[in-house]
Amino acid sequence: PPAIRSLSPEYRRLQHPKTILLPSGCTLFPAQDGDTGRIMMVPLSPEILPVQLFRIGELILCGMPVEVTTMAGRRIENTIKLVFNGDADGDGWADEEGPVRYVVVCQCANAYAGYLTTPEEYLVQHYEGASTHFGPHELDAFLQVIGDLAVSMRDNTPLDRSEEPKPLYLHG
């Protein structure tokens, strides 16, 4: 049977206003390590998620391990275009003219972790908001990573991976 870690008040606060039926980030299942054969407890929801950017001329493909709502997708597109195209009028929205004209968000790529919504969609708690795994600020975290990847791509510089996290289940 799965092991469900107790839900701390902090966990409940971070997921508010969601009613937690199955805490996917706290539910562990036994799985066999393919390299060592060791049985370990792994979370139902991935702890570390892959995000990728690919550029083909004026097109950027953004690989995401989630199902993205329309508004979250627009914010992802804006984050990428801000890095490449700038914001000449200072309104917070990227210029359409510039080296990147198109952004395609490729959903459910290389992993799966539910839905990605805006904080406003999360608070309403319709299907998508209630089906996010990491709370109302999940999009903000993805935007930070996407922005870093876009700057690295634009400037042709490597990312600092010295503090790259490891899944908690690999720590012992």
Side-chain angles (χ1 to χ4, degrees), residues 72-153:
R74 287 181 182 166
R75 292 182 189 179
I76 291 167
E77 176 185 19
N78 188 57
T79 297
I80 293 168
K81 284 184 173 180
L82 277 172
V83 169
F84 284 92
N85 300 352
D87 177 15
D89 61 8
D91 66 355
W93 288 94
D95 299 334
E96 288 300 317
E97 296 300 319
V100 173
R101 293 191 55 203
Y102 309 101
V103 173
V104 175
V105 178
C106 307
Q107 303 180 64
C108 304
N110 301 314
Y112 183 75
Y115 279 84
L116 180 64
T117 65
T118 66
E120 298 85 359
E121 291 169 327
Y122 181 89
L123 290 174
V124 175
Q125 283 295 293
H126 288 163
Y127 180 79
E128 296 86 351
S131 299
T132 63
H133 290 210
F134 302 104
H137 302 292
E138 181 177 351
L139 176 60
D140 296 331
F142 273 110
L143 292 178
Q144 180 178 344
V145 169
I146 290 166
D148 290 347
L149 286 170
V151 168
S152 175
M153 179 181 278

Side-chain angles (χ1 to χ4, degrees), residues 1-7 20-29 41:
I4 299 179
R5 301 177 199 157
S6 64
L7 299 181
I20 301 166
L21 175 64
L22 177 64
S24 59
C26 297
T27 306
L28 303 176
F29 289 89
M41 298 300 283

